[in-house]
Amino acid sequence: SQQGEEDPQALSIQEGENATMNCSYKTSINNLQWYRQNSGRGLVHLILIRSNEREKHSGRLRVTLDTSKKSSSLLITASRAADTASYFCATDVGTSGSRLTFGEGTQLTVNP
Amino acid sequence: NAGVTQTPKFQVLKTGQSMTLQCAQDMNHEYMSWYRQDPGMGLRLIHYSVGAGITDQGEVPNGYNVSRSTTEDFPLRLLSAAPSQTSVYFCASSYGGLAGGRETQYFGPGTRLLVL
């Protein structure tokens, strides 16, 4: 079963707008990670937030984590056409950081 | 560094055939994993390894074998291919551990497998 569930499944916005994707999970986690996948390519790590953190920033990315609600959100500000990709959240529940459980992903399309 | 490499990029098999998907990394990572990605399903963990000589099952291990004789290589074997194994397979590696960014997984480009 999928630990993470993402919402929305698809999102289409205009360049310059902000994009927000949400992720919910079911069990306690060590950390939650966001990955990006361009069409036909492998996944690329974007950002990691630990279970004792509430918010983290990296460039145009902002991630929040609410462990009481078992949810996270990824905000991409001032989006660009090059941000068009699928975005996945992944939760790490193992004792050694080796077992990621992925959500089904959000397909983001940024229109020029 | 080449990072994580996978071969082949694409493979067509007939039902019942066996094959090995190759994965190698040159980052001296201890942890390596195999995932499969099906449409609308996200990635699911098949097998993983926390070091040479140590492997364990993930979420969907049936029909697959792995071994880890060296730190660099982590091949995935399909014993008797079935149409249900048609998927895109990704190998990933990481340093391992729960601090200092060691949890970040680096993915290969994937192998597209079609079983007829």
Side-chain angles (χ1 to χ4, degrees), chain A residues 1-2 30-31 33 35 37 39-45 48 50 88 92 94-105, chain B residues 31 33 35 37 40-45 48 50 57-59 90 94 96-101 103-105 107-109 112:
Chain A
S1 63
Q2 296 291 309
N30 297 314
N31 61 68
Q33 304 178 34
Y35 286 81
Q37 183 181 35
S39 181
R41 307 289 291 274
L43 278 74
V44 175
H45 182 262
L48 177 153
R50 302 190 190 287
F88 295 89
D92 185 347
T95 57
S96 55
S98 59
R99 299 194 58 153
L100 289 183
T101 303
F102 284 84
E104 296 177 1
Chain B
Y31 291 3
S33 306
Y35 298 87
Q37 184 178 32
M41 294 288 292
L43 278 75
R44 291 182 292 171
L45 182 64
Y48 66 101
V50 299
Q57 296 181 350
E59 183 184 354
F90 289 99
S94 66
L98 291 172
E103 313 93 322
T104 299
Q105 295 206 6
F107 283 80
R112 293 182 178 275

Side-chain angles (χ1 to χ4, degrees), chain A residues 1 7 14-16 21-23 34 38-39 43 46-47 58 64 67-68 81 84 92-94:
Chain A
S1 63
D7 166 55
Q14 297 298 123
E15 256 188 336
M21 288 159 269
N22 302 299
C23 170
W34 285 90
N38 288 83
S39 181
L43 278 74
L46 294 176
I47 193 166
S58 177
T64 61
T67 53
S68 66
T84 294
D92 185 347
V93 301

Side-chain angles (χ1 to χ4, degrees), chain B residues 3-112:
Chain B
V4 180
T5 58
Q6 291 183 239
T7 57
K9 291 184 179 180
F10 183 70
Q11 182 72 44
V12 179
L13 291 178
K14 294 181 179 178
T15 296
Q17 288 184 316
S18 62
M19 78 160 294
T20 299
L21 280 63
Q22 301 291 344
C23 174
Q25 52 88 14
D26 61 358
M27 297 174 281
N28 202 32
H29 285 169
E30 287 294 321
Y31 291 3
M32 297 186 74
S33 306
W34 275 103
Y35 298 87
R36 59 178 288 174
Q37 184 178 32
D38 302 309
M41 294 288 292
L43 278 75
R44 291 182 292 171
L45 182 64
I46 304 171
H47 285 285
Y48 66 101
S49 169
V50 299
I54 305 169
T55 63
D56 206 347
Q57 296 181 350
E59 183 184 354
V60 288
N62 292 341
Y64 307 94
N65 272 356
V66 292
S67 60
R68 184 97 180 271
S69 56
T70 67
T71 299
E72 294 80 16
D73 301 298
F74 191 42
L76 177 72
R77 298 182 185 84
L78 279 69
L79 308 174
S80 177
S84 61
Q85 294 179 304
T86 293
S87 188
V88 182
Y89 291 84
F90 289 99
C91 179
S93 71
S94 66
Y95 284 108
L98 291 172
R102 299 178 66 85
E103 313 93 322
T104 299
Q105 295 206 6
Y106 296 82
F107 283 80
T111 293
R112 293 182 178 275

Side-chain angles (χ1 to χ4, degrees), chain A residues 77-95:
Chain A
T77 60
S79 63
R80 307 165 181 168
D83 293 329
T84 294
S86 292
Y87 292 81
F88 295 89
C89 69
T91 51
D92 185 347
V93 301
T95 57

